[in-house]
Amino acid sequence: MKRKKLVSMLTAGALAASMVLPAMAADGGTVDVDVTTKTGILRVEVPTTLAVAVDQFETTDTGSQIYSEEFTIANKSEVNVKVSVTSTATLGSDVMLAAKREDVATAAGAGGTAWLAVAASLDGTKYEASSDLGKLSEASANVTTFAKNGAAAAAAQTFYLKKGTANSAAYKLLVPSADGKNNDVSYAQFYKLTALATQPTDDATLQTAVNASDVYVVVTANAGNDGEAVTKLAKGSAVASSTFAGTNTYYTMAEAATTAADLKAADVYAYGELTKETAGADAAFRYIGELSKNKETWDATDVSKINIAYTIQGLPQSIYDTAAAETGADGIVYGLYKEKLSAVYSEISGAYWISIDRDTGFAAAPTSLTIGGTAKTAGTDYTFEKSGWIKLTAKPTAGDEIVLVVNGTIYKATVPTAATP
């Protein structure tokens, strides 16, 4: 019995030993991964001209002595965008600017006093709930008043616009009418097209070209026509039967966009755009104003020019979503968004200051300033210095929040519990 048990144990041990894997040297490999940059199509439609006029007798718009067409903005980009617009007015040398609309009524300057402002549309049709422009003022959430910035008068607004409909990208041809001409196509990124050195002759050779790079297809007869359709065959995609046509010309596209100033009449370009969303992709603004009655005649020499400068940048989805989630006037109202930026409170040599970052001053005097929820008055509670810094006349309470609006942008700072040099 003992012998059988021993044989059994030996057999089990032999089986276990036979199941042990032989020792192996560790092995592996390496993978090199090239990092690329993903960029989205940027395409924002804006007007290339705008009519603005001094309208002293309100012949067109009741409630505004400045007539203005709408400056519309529509986002057809593949990404959400931030559009920053700065309007700079050229005024007559004797014209004074009022910070508040109500101040125009009592103005006595011989050269005349004007209250000028930019009003953003509330919904695409109205600028004021009852459509009465006369009710708009510097206190209106959608209004930014022109303020002196050196010798010029400027006002700025920021718009956040929703990206175009997914998977709706289409490309169009741009054939410059002359060097540096974008043929009045408002903001887009233009990419030079280069015809393939060896044009495909059938589906197979077209597939070979598509395997190597994106291929852009233009009907040869239309290649000299502005705005014609351009079809993209994505790199690596399968070329369906009978896709090739001898009536087409096949191109590659430059990786980098060409600026409008560098466009050449001898070349052809393509630009992309998406279908615009029905809600969230539009914005509009116009100019309004009131002119003092002590000046008998107002004309275009008093407000002779308005320059509109805009910058467009893509917005990460998370930033757009955060802004869109805000409610009321703090959120996005038909594209208009009042960004919240940081400011800094400092105590220097016994004086109390507000600046952007302790080095940089503000571009213009604030249209409103509150500390601890209490509105402050210019000249009494604070002064706007030439440096762009704001000097407070009294020390604020530690922990109070400072909120000021400059050119339509909201800045916030908190009074520290200890003095900050």
Side-chain angles (χ1 to χ4, degrees):
M1 193 72 171
K2 287 183 179 179
R3 185 172 179 278
K4 287 183 179 179
K5 182 181 266 189
L6 177 61
V7 170
S8 234
M9 291 175 65
L10 288 172
T11 303
L15 286 171
S18 68
M19 294 173 66
V20 176
L21 294 175
M24 296 180 65
D27 200 1
T30 62
V31 178
D32 288 327
V33 178
D34 291 328
V35 178
T36 60
T37 301
K38 285 184 68 67
T39 58
I41 294 169
L42 280 180
R43 171 78 169 108
V44 179
E45 286 186 345
V46 297
T48 55
T49 61
L50 191 74
V52 181
V54 173
D55 187 13
Q56 181 178 358
F57 302 104
E58 300 179 16
T59 60
T60 305
D61 293 322
T62 301
S64 178
Q65 291 174 293
I66 297 295
Y67 163 76
S68 168
E69 290 182 330
E70 278 195 320
F71 190 96
T72 56
I73 310 172
N75 186 26
K76 295 184 175 182
S77 302
E78 200 172 11
V79 296
N80 305 306
V81 298
K82 168 186 173 181
V83 183
S84 302
V85 183
T86 300
S87 302
T88 304
T90 301
L91 306 177
S93 58
D94 295 332
V95 175
M96 304 292 289
L97 274 183
K100 296 182 178 180
R101 186 167 192 163
E102 63 183 18
D103 292 342
V104 172
T106 57
T113 299
W115 177 78
L116 300 176
V118 185
S121 177
L122 298 174
D123 57 8
T125 59
K126 296 190 184 82
Y127 287 84
E128 193 276 331
S130 63
S131 298
D132 184 353
L133 298 178
K135 292 183 178 180
L136 291 173
S137 74
E138 67 288 339
S140 304
N142 61 323
V143 170
T144 304
T145 299
F146 277 83
K148 277 287 188 181
N149 184 6
Q157 289 185 325
T158 300
F159 301 91
Y160 278 22
L161 302 177
K162 190 176 183 179
K163 63 185 177 183
T165 303
N167 303 318
S168 65
Y171 292 86
K172 293 183 179 181
L173 201 64
L174 176 77
V175 183
S177 58
D179 288 356
K181 296 293 184 181
N182 66 353
N183 303 348
D184 289 335
V185 175
S186 55
Y187 186 83
Q189 291 177 315
F190 304 110
Y191 294 88
K192 182 180 175 180
L193 296 178
T194 301
L196 292 173
T198 302
Q199 288 287 307
T201 55
D202 52 28
D203 286 342
T205 52
L206 177 56
Q207 182 70 71
T208 299
V210 170
N211 289 342
S213 68
D214 292 337
V215 173
Y216 296 82
V217 187
V218 179
V219 175
T220 305
N222 298 336
N225 301 332
D226 207 45
E228 294 287 350
V230 178
T231 302
K232 177 183 177 180
L233 302 177
K235 178 181 178 181
S237 61
V239 173
S241 177
S242 300
T243 298
F244 169 79
T247 53
N248 293 336
T249 301
Y250 299 88
Y251 299 83
T252 57
M253 179 186 284
E255 291 186 4
T258 301
T259 63
D262 291 329
L263 294 172
K264 301 298 181 186
D267 296 324
V268 293
Y269 303 83
Y271 61 93
E273 64 181 27
L274 277 69
T275 301
K276 180 174 65 66
E277 287 285 359
T278 54
D282 294 285
F285 66 84
R286 60 157 294 168
Y287 300 102
I288 60 174
E290 186 159 334
L291 310 173
S292 64
K293 296 180 176 59
N294 67 310
K295 181 178 171 68
E296 186 174 337
T297 303
W298 287 84
D299 56 33
T301 62
D302 298 307
V303 184
S304 60
K305 181 180 180 182
I306 294 180
N307 172 267
I308 302 171
Y310 60 90
T311 59
I312 298 168
Q313 67 182 82
L315 277 178
Q317 188 66 45
S318 57
I319 293 177
Y320 179 84
D321 288 344
T322 298
E326 295 185 50
T327 58
D330 288 333
I332 300 173
V333 179
Y334 196 67
L336 179 68
Y337 182 64
K338 294 190 175 182
E339 294 184 301
K340 286 76 174 173
L341 302 179
S342 296
V344 174
Y345 168 80
S346 306
E347 293 183 14
I348 303 173
S349 301
Y352 317 110
W353 300 93
I354 305 170
S355 62
I356 292 178
D357 57 8
R358 293 195 186 92
D359 290 316
T360 309
F362 298 95
T367 51
S368 69
L369 190 156
T370 62
I371 301 178
T374 302
K376 300 300 178 180
T377 304
T380 302
D381 300 312
Y382 67 90
T383 56
F384 181 67
E385 304 296 310
K386 290 182 178 180
S387 62
W389 287 45
I390 296 166
K391 185 178 183 180
L392 304 177
T393 56
K395 182 176 180 176
T397 303
D400 275 355
E401 183 179 53
I402 301 172
V403 181
L404 59 154
V405 180
V406 178
N407 278 346
T409 297
I410 297 174
Y411 292 87
K412 293 184 176 181
T414 301
V415 181
T417 53
T420 304

